[in-house]
Structure formats: structure tokens, C-alpha cells
Amino acid sequence: MPSNEQRRETAKRKLERQLERRAERARKRKQMTIAGSALGVVVVVAVVAGLVWLNTGNDDTSESATDTTAASEQSAAVMPVGRSTPLPDTVSCSYPADGQTPAKAANPPRTEGIPATAPDATPSISIETTQGNIGLNLDGTLSPCTVNSFVSLAQQGYFDNTPCHRLSTTGLQILQCGDPSGTGSGGPGYGFDNEFPTDQYADGDPALSAPVTYSRGTIAMANTGAPGSNGSQFFLLYGDSQLPPNYTVFGTIDDTGLATIEKVAAGGDDGSMTAGGGKPNLPIEFTSVRVD
């Protein structure tokens, strides 16, 4: 009978092999995406403003359920818990035009004197939907330019009468919203760079390709994978999900909001989207988005 030490060594070697396989798959996915972009071929999702480029985690389905469960917490790195250096009281932001026709008319946000400390940088958002209310607590101490854009769009009524066009219940547990066209390709006509946690890593750091855990209750921006491709689309996590740290975190969802999202998630999706998931079977639309 193997000793406890032998069992630990066997488990350690097994986990190392799993992590090596996952790292190799991540490198191959990156190479395929770059090649597809150069050839003008869409491999996962068409790279146009407002479309999200997310790792659905489906590659891990080749491993046994036991292996995945045993290694889940160890396979993902820990997301930074906060900024390594606090931001100044205010920052400057940039929102250049992205060359796309806006899904709904909107003016770009202001760019100077953007608050980056509480309480001015931490507004609350009240969303009324066709399935129940959702409350958001935004955090501009982490991502001030993202919060500034979201607040600006909300104040202009950009999100009003807008459907959430994508639900994922396998791998990723997200509800994606923010595109007035409801197609997954719409945006406000401008883009901006990633903030936290992406900006806590050096350019070219291999850790940017490794998964971290985006926790249940997190709000994060969707993007195409290209620099400066954040727009108006965002996703609401109703369960822990593993993604590379390339999606800007800018707040949290309250308990009422999580209950509303879980109600929608319980209905499943139609599986229509190549990036994973599809339109919710229980449709949900934002009827009103207000800054408290």
C-alpha cells in the first residue's frame, strides 16, 4: 500500500502534468487567435467593437471530473486583491473613437479630473429589469476610467431598454449585457484600455495568459482581446469563473441582483454563441439604469 508521502508525490506530479497541458493549450489558443486575426478569419468570435473574447473553459472537459475538482483551486492563480500602489485623488482618461457606428447615440465621457478615491469614485447603480432588480456597487479606486464611462452612459440613458444578450452556465457563469443592439457586436463608438487587474502586471508577463478566479458577484468589462477594445459591454458573474486577468474589474453585484441573475441562469440558454452560452431562455432587459 502506498504511503501518504507517495500519494502526495503522485498527486503533485499529476497536478503538474495538468497545469503543463493547460499552459500548452493556452499557448495554442493564443497562436490560433493571432493567426486568425492576420488572415482575417474569425476563429472564436468576430473581433469587432463590443464583442467579448472569453475563454469558456471547455478545453478542460477532456479531463475527468475528479481531476478537475481536485485541481480547480490550485490551477488558477490568485487575482490581486487590490492595487499595489493607490491611485491619486483624480486621474485622466482617454476614450478615442473606435471607428464603429454606435449601437445607440452616446457622447464620450469627460476625460479630466476623474475621481479615483472614495466616496466620489464608488457610486451605486440601481437597475430595474424585466426579471427583477439588480444593484451594483462600482469601484473607481480600482478602475476609475471604467467607472467614469459606465456612469456617463447610464446618465445618458444608454443602457435603458437594453437586453442582456448572452448567458453562460458552463465553464463561465456570466450574464453579459450592455449592448443596445442585443447582438453582441454593439458599442458606444469609443474604446478604452483595461484597468485592474490587467494593469497590475508588466507588459508581456506570462501571467497575463494564465487563469485567475473572477469571483461570484464581480462586474467586469467585456472586450475583443485587442488593446483599447472596452466599450459598453460588461458581464455579471453569478459564480466563480476562471479567466486570464484581461477583463477589467470595476465593482460588485448586491444580493438582490445575484438572485435576479440566478433566476435567469436557472432557465438556461439557447447555446447559439460560439464563444460559449447563448441568449437566455428567460429574456431579461434593463428597463432603467440609474446612478444613486
Side-chain angles (χ1 to χ4, degrees):
M1 179 179 294
S3 67
N4 289 338
E5 181 64 28
Q6 289 173 326
R7 284 195 290 269
R8 283 194 293 270
E9 285 299 317
T10 299
K12 180 181 178 182
R13 288 194 296 272
K14 188 174 185 179
L15 177 58
E16 288 173 347
R17 289 195 298 270
Q18 291 170 353
L19 295 177
E20 288 172 358
R21 289 196 299 270
R22 292 179 183 182
E24 179 62 24
R25 286 197 294 269
R27 285 192 292 270
K28 289 180 179 179
R29 282 197 298 270
K30 185 175 181 181
Q31 291 168 355
M32 291 174 63
T33 302
I34 293 172
S37 175
L39 294 172
V41 178
V42 178
V43 178
V44 182
V45 182
V47 180
V48 294
L51 275 181
V52 63
W53 180 39
L54 294 177
N55 171 10
T56 63
N58 289 337
D59 287 345
D60 288 341
T61 57
S62 60
E63 299 175 342
S64 71
T66 301
D67 290 347
T68 301
T69 300
S72 61
E73 292 185 0
Q74 301 179 61
S75 62
V78 176
M79 181 184 288
V81 296
R83 288 189 164 276
S84 56
T85 303
L87 293 169
D89 289 345
T90 62
V91 300
S92 297
C93 302
S94 179
Y95 305 99
D98 62 10
Q100 304 293 323
T101 300
K104 188 176 182 178
N107 296 318
R110 63 191 179 96
T111 59
E112 299 297 329
I114 309 307
T117 55
D120 292 340
T122 54
S124 297
I125 303 293
S126 295
I127 303 176
E128 295 179 2
T129 86
T130 51
Q131 299 299 338
N133 294 334
I134 298 175
L136 307 180
N137 298 304
L138 306 189
D139 191 350
T141 69
L142 294 178
S143 303
C145 296
T146 304
V147 170
N148 183 51
S149 174
F150 190 98
V151 168
S152 173
L153 292 173
Q155 290 174 332
Q156 295 180 66
Y158 181 88
F159 297 119
D160 293 353
N161 304 311
T162 296
C164 291
H165 62 276
R166 178 188 177 199
L167 173 71
S168 175
T169 60
T170 303
L172 296 178
Q173 293 182 294
I174 63 168
L175 179 67
Q176 188 170 328
C177 315
D179 173 12
S181 74
T183 64
S185 62
Y190 64 81
F192 56 96
D193 291 332
N194 285 358
E195 294 185 282
F196 183 88
T198 310
D199 59 9
Q200 300 303 289
Y201 299 81
D203 290 344
D205 188 337
L208 285 168
S209 298
V212 298
T213 297
Y214 280 67
S215 300
R216 165 182 160 85
T218 297
I219 317 164
M221 289 299 295
N223 62 60
T224 69
S229 62
N230 296 291
S232 60
Q233 293 189 43
F234 58 96
F235 52 97
L236 306 166
L237 287 103
Y238 63 93
D240 291 355
S241 301
Q242 293 184 14
L243 289 164
N246 294 308
Y247 303 94
T248 297
V249 171
F250 66 104
T252 56
I253 311 162
D254 70 4
D255 289 343
T256 298
L258 284 169
T260 297
I261 297 165
E262 287 168 343
K263 172 185 173 183
V264 175
D269 64 80
D270 66 5
S272 61
M273 297 188 180
T274 56
K279 291 185 177 181
N281 292 327
L282 184 63
I284 176 172
E285 180 176 291
F286 293 171
T287 57
S288 173
V289 180
R290 296 292 177 264
V291 182
D292 293 336

